[in-house]
Amino acid sequence: MHSKQFFDEVSKVAQSIDLKAIKALANELVALTERGGRLFLLGVGGSAANCSHAVNDFRKLCEIEAYTPVHNVSELTARTNDEGWDTVFSSWLRTSKAGSNDAILVFSVGGENAEKNVSANIVAGLKEAKQRGLKVFGVVARDGGYTKQVGDWVVVVPKDLDRYSLETVEMFYKDAKAAGYRIATRAVA
């Protein structure tokens, strides 16, 4: 069925991830804690939601002082309105007085590419982080984008992660239909 195909593919992707990079990233997070550094998480779209969830887990489960600009919608939208979307993360890092004891962790599905105007705000945030001496970590898809180019430890998931959200919904939809359930749908204008 569709579920088996989906989980077979997920398993194949998981097996292709560089475990050394994951271990190195974990060790870097331990070192960050030992030196009293803070972890700043950046992401847009679904990755912003992942940042929010990860901040909770890093703070509660790992006792890492972690922050993301998406937690403060008022500041995020004010900066976007007054300064522009491209600089929202870099200016937030400046205001946070991010320094060499700290690190940045980027979650990104599409990768970042300033020339193609893809997540230019993350590119600017990464440049600011490097100027300030922060360690750069990432969990990214596709070719790793700009995060992979400048990062200290980056885990690259060699698959377009966008598909997994859609595939998960499709998997349950197709299996439910195959099992005889009527799925309510509506047309989208």
Side-chain angles (χ1 to χ4, degrees):
M1 293 197 99
H2 306 286
S3 300
K4 180 176 179 354
Q5 179 183 354
F6 171 77
F7 285 114
D8 286 347
E9 187 174 344
V10 169
S11 177
K12 194 183 317 179
V13 169
Q15 291 172 14
S16 68
I17 295 173
D18 182 0
L19 298 180
K20 289 178 186 172
I22 293 172
K23 184 175 182 175
L25 181 54
N27 288 336
E28 286 288 339
L29 291 171
V30 169
L32 173 76
T33 304
E34 289 173 349
R35 68 176 176 267
R38 299 169 295 166
L39 182 63
F40 299 102
L41 288 85
L42 301 182
V44 296
S47 295
N50 292 339
C51 287
S52 183
H53 187 118
V55 163
N56 170 68
D57 289 348
F58 281 124
R59 293 179 69 86
K60 184 174 181 265
L61 302 175
C62 305
E63 298 183 1
I64 295 174
E65 188 177 348
Y67 304 96
T68 181
V70 302
H71 277 169
N72 188 340
V73 174
S74 297
E75 179 185 4
L76 184 70
T77 57
R79 285 186 184 281
T80 300
N81 184 64
D82 298 345
E83 302 164 16
W85 183 239
D86 288 357
T87 61
V88 70
F89 296 145
S90 57
S91 61
W92 179 78
L93 287 169
R94 278 192 300 278
T95 300
S96 299
K97 297 182 179 27
S100 59
N101 277 343
D102 302 322
I104 189 171
L105 173 59
V106 172
F107 290 139
S108 179
V109 172
E112 314 74 38
N113 185 320
E115 290 78 36
K116 293 182 179 178
N117 199 30
V118 176
S119 300
N121 50 5
I122 294 178
V123 172
L126 287 166
K127 288 178 179 178
E128 183 70 27
K130 291 304 270 187
Q131 286 177 335
R132 294 178 158 275
L134 278 75
K135 292 265 188 174
V136 173
F137 310 136
V139 178
V140 298
R142 297 184 184 163
D143 66 357
Y146 190 71
T147 302
K148 178 67 175 164
Q149 292 173 27
V150 301
D152 296 295
W153 288 104
V154 179
V155 176
V156 178
V157 179
K159 180 97 175 128
D160 182 352
L161 295 177
D162 273 340
R163 291 187 58 213
Y164 283 101
S165 296
L166 179 59
E167 285 176 349
T168 302
V169 172
E170 287 176 346
M171 172 190 65
F172 288 111
Y173 175 81
K174 288 177 181 176
D175 283 350
K177 255 184 107 168
Y181 288 95
R182 184 176 171 277
I183 308 296
T185 59
R186 62 180 174 88
V188 178

